[in-house]
Amino acid sequence: MGMERSVSVTVENRLWFNAYREVVTETDNEPDWTLMEYLPLISSGPVLDLAMGNGRNALFFAKLGFEVDCVDVSKTWVKKCRERAKEENLNMHIYEARLPAFEIPQRRYALIIASKILQLLRVPEIQAIAEQIYSGLAKRGILYVRTFSVEHVKRSEKIPQLEQVEPNTYYSPEHQQTYHYFTRDELPSLFPKLKILYYIDGIEVDRTRKKPRYPWVIEYLGQRMR
Ligand SMILES: C[S@@+](CC[C@H](N)C(=O)[O-])C[C@H]1O[C@@H](n2cnc3c(N)ncnc32)[C@H](O)[C@@H]1O
């Protein structure tokens, strides 16, 4: 009685886990651990990494022998990834484009990765890209999302001081960038037809900067069943 439940099952196949995790991110170069853990469930088809940045996930999958498509708006990251792909003779197609304008091919992908990107888009853009992501997944294709939770805002002194430009979206003049923070049911609502394989909403330790940070992150894995 009165005890907080750490797991709640609201609808069939929908599990939400609250976690204060021991996960420590030490460098910006490793792939996301959850993707490594779920590797056996990923079929052998092509992989798409949305906003691949330095390519930590895209390069990991390409080195494993997957055909990898990736896209980023940054000329610098595109150039660097192209160099790495050439040096290591990897099967990668690297596009310079801005999401959500990049057109995702339909029913192509065994895996679509959206790690640390959705929070940088505005809500209508997120909705547009979510539709494209769903169409882009092949049967049994998996979507991986890593993003920030609205819980992070509640625990931050700085963020609530910023201008809120739409619900849970704040504009940082310092970075000239908006940041959207996701509620717990937002990703499941954006992908209602995907079966949730993994969902975590909790704090982890980020040691990629001099001073450790404790972001409240959401990680989501959903699978297209048909
Ligand atoms: C925080 S980094 C994450 C990079 C990578 N996904 C990762 O997990 O390490 C955000 C990346 O998104 C890219 N980016 C930001 N807005 C974008 C947009 N609208 N379209 C494409 N790429 C974008 C940036 O250039 C940057 O490489």
Side-chain angles (χ1 to χ4, degrees):
M1 207 174 59
M3 271 175 60
E4 208 178 303
R5 289 169 58 184
S6 58
V7 177
S8 60
V9 181
T10 54
V11 209
E12 206 185 1
N13 292 331
R14 300 208 165 167
L15 302 180
W16 281 263
F17 293 93
N18 257 333
Y20 295 86
R21 290 197 288 176
E22 298 283 320
V23 175
V24 180
T25 311
E26 298 281 3
T27 78
D28 277 336
N29 294 316
E30 303 151 1
D32 285 298
W33 280 98
T34 305
L35 280 174
M36 291 191 243
E37 283 166 9
Y38 275 79
L39 211 47
L41 287 192
I42 298 164
S43 350
S44 57
V47 171
L48 171 65
D49 190 357
L50 295 168
M52 78 286 177
N54 68 8
R56 64 194 180 94
N57 286 313
L59 290 160
F60 170 74
F61 280 94
K63 284 181 196 169
L64 287 179
F66 285 84
E67 176 184 357
V68 175
D69 297 344
C70 53
V71 53
D72 201 285
V73 72
S74 153
K75 274 194 191 333
T76 313
W77 285 132
V78 167
K79 186 166 173 271
K80 285 194 176 157
C81 281
R82 283 188 179 144
E83 284 166 5
R84 289 283 300 276
K86 199 170 165 198
E87 272 164 29
E88 303 190 39
N89 198 22
L90 300 172
N91 187 5
M92 294 177 80
H93 309 105
I94 302 162
Y95 303 97
E96 183 188 325
R98 177 176 291 278
L99 302 169
F102 176 76
E103 228 174 272
I104 300 179
Q106 299 215 344
R107 305 302 310 253
R108 172 169 162 76
Y109 296 103
L111 172 68
I112 297 182
I113 303 167
S115 189
K116 301 201 272 186
I117 173 63
L118 294 186
Q119 72 274 7
L120 302 179
L121 305 176
R122 298 295 293 269
V123 170
E125 295 177 323
I126 296 169
Q127 286 163 345
I129 200 155
E131 281 178 27
Q132 282 209 51
I133 287 174
Y134 181 75
S135 312
L137 289 171
K139 187 174 175 185
R140 306 272 166 198
I142 289 178
L143 165 66
Y144 171 73
V145 177
R146 164 181 279 268
T147 193
F148 290 113
S149 165
V150 75
E151 297 297 328
H152 192 73
V153 180
K154 293 185 195 160
R155 281 152 186 84
S156 163
E157 280 177 19
K158 263 202 210 157
I159 302 165
Q161 309 297 325
L162 300 175
E163 182 196 356
Q164 191 170 181
V165 291
E166 55 197 355
N168 302 325
T169 305
Y170 296 83
Y171 178 71
S172 159
E174 191 192 343
H175 301 142
Q176 298 188 356
Q177 169 74 57
T178 56
Y179 294 94
H180 180 70
Y181 295 87
F182 286 75
T183 60
R184 186 161 293 180
D185 51 10
E186 205 166 342
L187 289 172
S189 311
L190 281 165
F191 301 100
K193 292 185 187 156
L194 298 187
K195 176 181 172 186
I196 298 174
L197 302 179
Y198 178 85
Y199 192 104
I200 202 153
D201 187 347
I203 289 173
E204 61 182 36
V205 188
D206 176 354
R207 288 195 202 281
T208 57
R209 307 286 181 277
K210 268 189 194 152
K211 198 173 160 207
R213 295 186 292 188
Y214 299 89
W216 193 298
V217 303
I218 288 177
E219 274 186 293
Y220 165 97
L221 275 174
Q223 185 168 36
R224 181 167 181 157
M225 301 312 288
R226 49 193 173 151

